[in-house]
Amino acid sequence: MHALKLHTLTLAEQLADLAVEALIDEADLSPKPALVDRRGNGAHQDLHLGLMHASALSLWPAFKEMAEAAIAWVRLACRCAKPSDGSAAKASRRCSPPLRA
């Protein structure tokens, strides 16, 4: 029998998951008088909790792309950083912890 290989999430995917989870948690927070929460639509006729959840989930690809861009920028900045005394260890410390995209 072959073991099921589960996909290991990249850092960008983990960050996107956390961002979506935060949006959903905020939407679920109750009570929020006159705002959409678990108790109802508040003053909103055109908005409900399910729509807010769907909206948060729809943003996942954009959050992932933003995280990937930030990770790439940090990697580029770390490569360009040169220690004043030529010490590779100092440059390595400035770029720690290592990022995994």
Side-chain angles (χ1 to χ4, degrees), residues 57-85:
L57 291 168
S58 76
L59 293 170
W60 189 91
F63 288 140
K64 179 178 177 261
E65 286 182 29
M66 286 186 282
E68 288 171 339
I71 291 165
W73 186 88
V74 168
R75 284 190 174 145
L76 178 62
C78 286
R79 268 187 291 216
C80 294
K82 295 182 182 177
S84 58
D85 67 356

mmCIF file of all heavy atoms in Angstrom, residues 57-85:
data_model
loop_
_atom_site.group_PDB
_atom_site.id
_atom_site.type_symbol
_atom_site.label_atom_id
_atom_site.label_comp_id
_atom_site.label_asym_id
_atom_site.label_seq_id
_atom_site.Cartn_x
_atom_site.Cartn_y
_atom_site.Cartn_z
ATOM 1 N N LEU A 57 -13.030 33.885 1.339
ATOM 2 C CA LEU A 57 -12.416 32.753 0.628
ATOM 3 C C LEU A 57 -11.977 33.140 -0.783
ATOM 4 O O LEU A 57 -10.954 32.667 -1.275
ATOM 5 C CB LEU A 57 -13.389 31.577 0.575
ATOM 6 C CG LEU A 57 -13.667 30.905 1.925
ATOM 7 C CD1 LEU A 57 -14.855 29.964 1.816
ATOM 8 C CD2 LEU A 57 -12.426 30.168 2.407
ATOM 9 N N SER A 58 -12.716 34.036 -1.421
ATOM 10 C CA SER A 58 -12.366 34.449 -2.789
ATOM 11 C C SER A 58 -11.063 35.248 -2.832
ATOM 12 O O SER A 58 -10.439 35.364 -3.888
ATOM 13 C CB SER A 58 -13.503 35.258 -3.414
ATOM 14 O OG SER A 58 -13.526 36.576 -2.879
ATOM 15 N N LEU A 59 -10.670 35.805 -1.702
ATOM 16 C CA LEU A 59 -9.444 36.611 -1.645
ATOM 17 C C LEU A 59 -8.177 35.773 -1.468
ATOM 18 O O LEU A 59 -7.068 36.287 -1.576
ATOM 19 C CB LEU A 59 -9.549 37.634 -0.504
ATOM 20 C CG LEU A 59 -10.594 38.718 -0.712
ATOM 21 C CD1 LEU A 59 -10.779 39.524 0.565
ATOM 22 C CD2 LEU A 59 -10.210 39.615 -1.874
ATOM 23 N N TRP A 60 -8.316 34.470 -1.206
ATOM 24 C CA TRP A 60 -7.164 33.615 -0.944
ATOM 25 C C TRP A 60 -6.092 33.703 -2.044
ATOM 26 O O TRP A 60 -4.911 33.896 -1.723
ATOM 27 C CB TRP A 60 -7.608 32.161 -0.725
ATOM 28 C CG TRP A 60 -6.499 31.285 -0.240
ATOM 29 C CD1 TRP A 60 -6.170 31.038 1.059
ATOM 30 C CD2 TRP A 60 -5.567 30.546 -1.027
ATOM 31 N NE1 TRP A 60 -5.084 30.198 1.117
ATOM 32 C CE2 TRP A 60 -4.693 29.878 -0.156
ATOM 33 C CE3 TRP A 60 -5.372 30.400 -2.400
ATOM 34 C CZ2 TRP A 60 -3.659 29.066 -0.600
ATOM 35 C CZ3 TRP A 60 -4.334 29.595 -2.840
ATOM 36 C CH2 TRP A 60 -3.492 28.933 -1.943
ATOM 37 N N PRO A 61 -6.452 33.599 -3.327
ATOM 38 C CA PRO A 61 -5.405 33.681 -4.351
ATOM 39 C C PRO A 61 -4.646 35.013 -4.330
ATOM 40 O O PRO A 61 -3.426 35.039 -4.537
ATOM 41 C CB PRO A 61 -6.166 33.503 -5.675
ATOM 42 C CG PRO A 61 -7.418 32.792 -5.304
ATOM 43 C CD PRO A 61 -7.766 33.301 -3.931
ATOM 44 N N ALA A 62 -5.346 36.099 -4.076
ATOM 45 C CA ALA A 62 -4.686 37.408 -4.022
ATOM 46 C C ALA A 62 -3.754 37.491 -2.818
ATOM 47 O O ALA A 62 -2.639 38.025 -2.921
ATOM 48 C CB ALA A 62 -5.724 38.528 -3.970
ATOM 49 N N PHE A 63 -4.190 36.970 -1.665
ATOM 50 C CA PHE A 63 -3.318 36.955 -0.487
ATOM 51 C C PHE A 63 -2.068 36.121 -0.755
ATOM 52 O O PHE A 63 -0.962 36.490 -0.353
ATOM 53 C CB PHE A 63 -4.064 36.405 0.737
ATOM 54 C CG PHE A 63 -5.095 37.331 1.300
ATOM 55 C CD1 PHE A 63 -6.309 36.840 1.755
ATOM 56 C CD2 PHE A 63 -4.876 38.696 1.403
ATOM 57 C CE1 PHE A 63 -7.269 37.677 2.303
ATOM 58 C CE2 PHE A 63 -5.832 39.556 1.944
ATOM 59 C CZ PHE A 63 -7.028 39.038 2.386
ATOM 60 N N LYS A 64 -2.232 34.996 -1.433
ATOM 61 C CA LYS A 64 -1.081 34.129 -1.758
ATOM 62 C C LYS A 64 -0.109 34.870 -2.676
ATOM 63 O O LYS A 64 1.107 34.840 -2.465
ATOM 64 C CB LYS A 64 -1.552 32.841 -2.410
ATOM 65 C CG LYS A 64 -0.413 31.908 -2.783
ATOM 66 C CD LYS A 64 -0.933 30.614 -3.386
ATOM 67 C CE LYS A 64 0.196 29.723 -3.813
ATOM 68 N NZ LYS A 64 0.478 29.806 -5.245
ATOM 69 N N GLU A 65 -0.631 35.545 -3.690
ATOM 70 C CA GLU A 65 0.232 36.295 -4.608
ATOM 71 C C GLU A 65 0.976 37.415 -3.890
ATOM 72 O O GLU A 65 2.159 37.657 -4.161
ATOM 73 C CB GLU A 65 -0.589 36.870 -5.766
ATOM 74 C CG GLU A 65 -1.003 35.828 -6.778
ATOM 75 C CD GLU A 65 -1.762 36.437 -7.942
ATOM 76 O OE1 GLU A 65 -1.519 37.620 -8.282
ATOM 77 O OE2 GLU A 65 -2.607 35.729 -8.508
ATOM 78 N N MET A 66 0.288 38.112 -2.976
ATOM 79 C CA MET A 66 0.958 39.176 -2.220
ATOM 80 C C MET A 66 2.069 38.606 -1.350
ATOM 81 O O MET A 66 3.164 39.179 -1.259
ATOM 82 C CB MET A 66 -0.049 39.934 -1.355
ATOM 83 C CG MET A 66 -0.945 40.868 -2.156
ATOM 84 S SD MET A 66 -2.001 41.891 -1.113
ATOM 85 C CE MET A 66 -3.280 40.735 -0.670
ATOM 86 N N ALA A 67 1.811 37.471 -0.721
ATOM 87 C CA ALA A 67 2.830 36.841 0.122
ATOM 88 C C ALA A 67 4.016 36.391 -0.731
ATOM 89 O O ALA A 67 5.176 36.576 -0.337
ATOM 90 C CB ALA A 67 2.232 35.657 0.882
ATOM 91 N N GLU A 68 3.751 35.815 -1.895
ATOM 92 C CA GLU A 68 4.843 35.388 -2.783
ATOM 93 C C GLU A 68 5.682 36.584 -3.227
ATOM 94 O O GLU A 68 6.913 36.498 -3.269
ATOM 95 C CB GLU A 68 4.278 34.648 -3.998
ATOM 96 C CG GLU A 68 3.745 33.280 -3.670
ATOM 97 C CD GLU A 68 2.992 32.638 -4.813
ATOM 98 O OE1 GLU A 68 2.525 33.342 -5.728
ATOM 99 O OE2 GLU A 68 2.852 31.404 -4.774
ATOM 100 N N ALA A 69 5.027 37.695 -3.537
ATOM 101 C CA ALA A 69 5.755 38.898 -3.946
ATOM 102 C C ALA A 69 6.614 39.420 -2.800
ATOM 103 O O ALA A 69 7.773 39.816 -3.008
ATOM 104 C CB ALA A 69 4.777 39.977 -4.414
ATOM 105 N N ALA A 70 6.085 39.416 -1.587
ATOM 106 C CA ALA A 70 6.848 39.888 -0.429
ATOM 107 C C ALA A 70 8.039 38.977 -0.168
ATOM 108 O O ALA A 70 9.154 39.452 0.107
ATOM 109 C CB ALA A 70 5.952 39.951 0.804
ATOM 110 N N ILE A 71 7.841 37.679 -0.269
ATOM 111 C CA ILE A 71 8.931 36.722 -0.051
ATOM 112 C C ILE A 71 10.019 36.919 -1.104
ATOM 113 O O ILE A 71 11.212 36.932 -0.792
ATOM 114 C CB ILE A 71 8.391 35.279 -0.059
ATOM 115 C CG1 ILE A 71 7.525 35.043 1.183
ATOM 116 C CG2 ILE A 71 9.516 34.259 -0.143
ATOM 117 C CD1 ILE A 71 6.665 33.800 1.114
ATOM 118 N N ALA A 72 9.615 37.084 -2.353
ATOM 119 C CA ALA A 72 10.591 37.308 -3.426
ATOM 120 C C ALA A 72 11.367 38.601 -3.192
ATOM 121 O O ALA A 72 12.580 38.656 -3.415
ATOM 122 C CB ALA A 72 9.880 37.351 -4.778
ATOM 123 N N TRP A 73 10.685 39.631 -2.734
ATOM 124 C CA TRP A 73 11.343 40.912 -2.473
ATOM 125 C C TRP A 73 12.374 40.764 -1.356
ATOM 126 O O TRP A 73 13.489 41.265 -1.453
ATOM 127 C CB TRP A 73 10.316 41.975 -2.113
ATOM 128 C CG TRP A 73 10.926 43.326 -1.986
ATOM 129 C CD1 TRP A 73 11.104 44.232 -2.976
ATOM 130 C CD2 TRP A 73 11.470 43.919 -0.801
ATOM 131 N NE1 TRP A 73 11.721 45.355 -2.482
ATOM 132 C CE2 TRP A 73 11.960 45.191 -1.149
ATOM 133 C CE3 TRP A 73 11.587 43.493 0.509
ATOM 134 C CZ2 TRP A 73 12.558 46.035 -0.222
ATOM 135 C CZ3 TRP A 73 12.184 44.334 1.435
ATOM 136 C CH2 TRP A 73 12.657 45.591 1.058
ATOM 137 N N VAL A 74 12.005 40.061 -0.284
ATOM 138 C CA VAL A 74 12.934 39.852 0.833
ATOM 139 C C VAL A 74 14.142 39.059 0.362
ATOM 140 O O VAL A 74 15.285 39.388 0.705
ATOM 141 C CB VAL A 74 12.226 39.149 2.014
ATOM 142 C CG1 VAL A 74 13.232 38.669 3.043
ATOM 143 C CG2 VAL A 74 11.214 40.080 2.650
ATOM 144 N N ARG A 75 13.917 38.040 -0.440
ATOM 145 C CA ARG A 75 15.044 37.241 -0.948
ATOM 146 C C ARG A 75 15.980 38.103 -1.793
ATOM 147 O O ARG A 75 17.199 38.011 -1.678
ATOM 148 C CB ARG A 75 14.534 36.067 -1.760
ATOM 149 C CG ARG A 75 13.996 34.976 -0.910
ATOM 150 C CD ARG A 75 13.736 33.751 -1.720
ATOM 151 N NE ARG A 75 13.358 32.669 -0.839
ATOM 152 C CZ ARG A 75 12.496 31.745 -1.140
ATOM 153 N NH1 ARG A 75 11.912 31.747 -2.312
ATOM 154 N NH2 ARG A 75 12.209 30.797 -0.292
ATOM 155 N N LEU A 76 15.406 38.945 -2.631
ATOM 156 C CA LEU A 76 16.216 39.817 -3.472
ATOM 157 C C LEU A 76 16.988 40.808 -2.603
ATOM 158 O O LEU A 76 18.186 41.031 -2.806
ATOM 159 C CB LEU A 76 15.345 40.567 -4.478
ATOM 160 C CG LEU A 76 16.068 41.549 -5.390
ATOM 161 C CD1 LEU A 76 17.090 40.823 -6.251
ATOM 162 C CD2 LEU A 76 15.071 42.284 -6.251
ATOM 163 N N ALA A 77 16.328 41.391 -1.622
ATOM 164 C CA ALA A 77 16.984 42.352 -0.734
ATOM 165 C C ALA A 77 18.122 41.686 0.033
ATOM 166 O O ALA A 77 19.181 42.293 0.224
ATOM 167 C CB ALA A 77 15.967 42.951 0.234
ATOM 168 N N CYS A 78 17.923 40.453 0.453
ATOM 169 C CA CYS A 78 18.977 39.740 1.189
ATOM 170 C C CYS A 78 20.169 39.437 0.292
ATOM 171 O O CYS A 78 21.313 39.501 0.730
ATOM 172 C CB CYS A 78 18.432 38.449 1.778
ATOM 173 S SG CYS A 78 17.366 38.718 3.200
ATOM 174 N N ARG A 79 19.912 39.114 -0.961
ATOM 175 C CA ARG A 79 21.025 38.849 -1.889
ATOM 176 C C ARG A 79 21.816 40.116 -2.164
ATOM 177 O O ARG A 79 23.021 40.066 -2.361
ATOM 178 C CB ARG A 79 20.491 38.286 -3.200
ATOM 179 C CG ARG A 79 20.439 36.788 -3.218
ATOM 180 C CD ARG A 79 20.080 36.350 -4.588
ATOM 181 N NE ARG A 79 18.686 36.759 -4.782
ATOM 182 C CZ ARG A 79 17.789 36.093 -5.454
ATOM 183 N NH1 ARG A 79 18.125 35.005 -6.069
ATOM 184 N NH2 ARG A 79 16.556 36.502 -5.564
ATOM 185 N N CYS A 80 21.113 41.244 -2.181
ATOM 186 C CA CYS A 80 21.776 42.506 -2.489
ATOM 187 C C CYS A 80 22.504 43.082 -1.287
ATOM 188 O O CYS A 80 23.377 43.927 -1.441
ATOM 189 C CB CYS A 80 20.754 43.526 -2.993
ATOM 190 S SG CYS A 80 20.039 43.053 -4.581
ATOM 191 N N ALA A 81 22.114 42.649 -0.083
ATOM 192 C CA ALA A 81 22.748 43.189 1.130
ATOM 193 C C ALA A 81 24.164 42.657 1.237
ATOM 194 O O ALA A 81 24.393 41.460 1.201
ATOM 195 C CB ALA A 81 21.934 42.796 2.352
ATOM 196 N N LYS A 82 25.105 43.555 1.345
ATOM 197 C CA LYS A 82 26.505 43.145 1.497
ATOM 198 C C LYS A 82 27.014 43.690 2.822
ATOM 199 O O LYS A 82 26.919 44.875 3.083
ATOM 200 C CB LYS A 82 27.342 43.691 0.348
ATOM 201 C CG LYS A 82 26.965 43.111 -0.989
ATOM 202 C CD LYS A 82 27.842 43.639 -2.082
ATOM 203 C CE LYS A 82 27.399 43.056 -3.408
ATOM 204 N NZ LYS A 82 28.157 43.579 -4.518
ATOM 205 N N PRO A 83 27.574 42.804 3.649
ATOM 206 C CA PRO A 83 28.104 43.278 4.919
ATOM 207 C C PRO A 83 29.296 44.197 4.702
ATOM 208 O O PRO A 83 30.087 44.005 3.787
ATOM 209 C CB PRO A 83 28.510 41.993 5.640
ATOM 210 C CG PRO A 83 28.648 40.967 4.568
ATOM 211 C CD PRO A 83 27.727 41.379 3.456
ATOM 212 N N SER A 84 29.405 45.195 5.548
ATOM 213 C CA SER A 84 30.479 46.183 5.402
ATOM 214 C C SER A 84 31.859 45.578 5.617
ATOM 215 O O SER A 84 32.835 46.029 5.031
ATOM 216 C CB SER A 84 30.260 47.341 6.378
ATOM 217 O OG SER A 84 30.211 46.841 7.700
ATOM 218 N N ASP A 85 31.945 44.515 6.443
ATOM 219 C CA ASP A 85 33.260 43.916 6.692
ATOM 220 C C ASP A 85 33.490 42.655 5.866
ATOM 221 O O ASP A 85 34.457 41.939 6.079
ATOM 222 C CB ASP A 85 33.448 43.624 8.177
ATOM 223 C CG ASP A 85 32.512 42.535 8.673
ATOM 224 O OD1 ASP A 85 31.666 42.065 7.889
ATOM 225 O OD2 ASP A 85 32.635 42.163 9.847
#
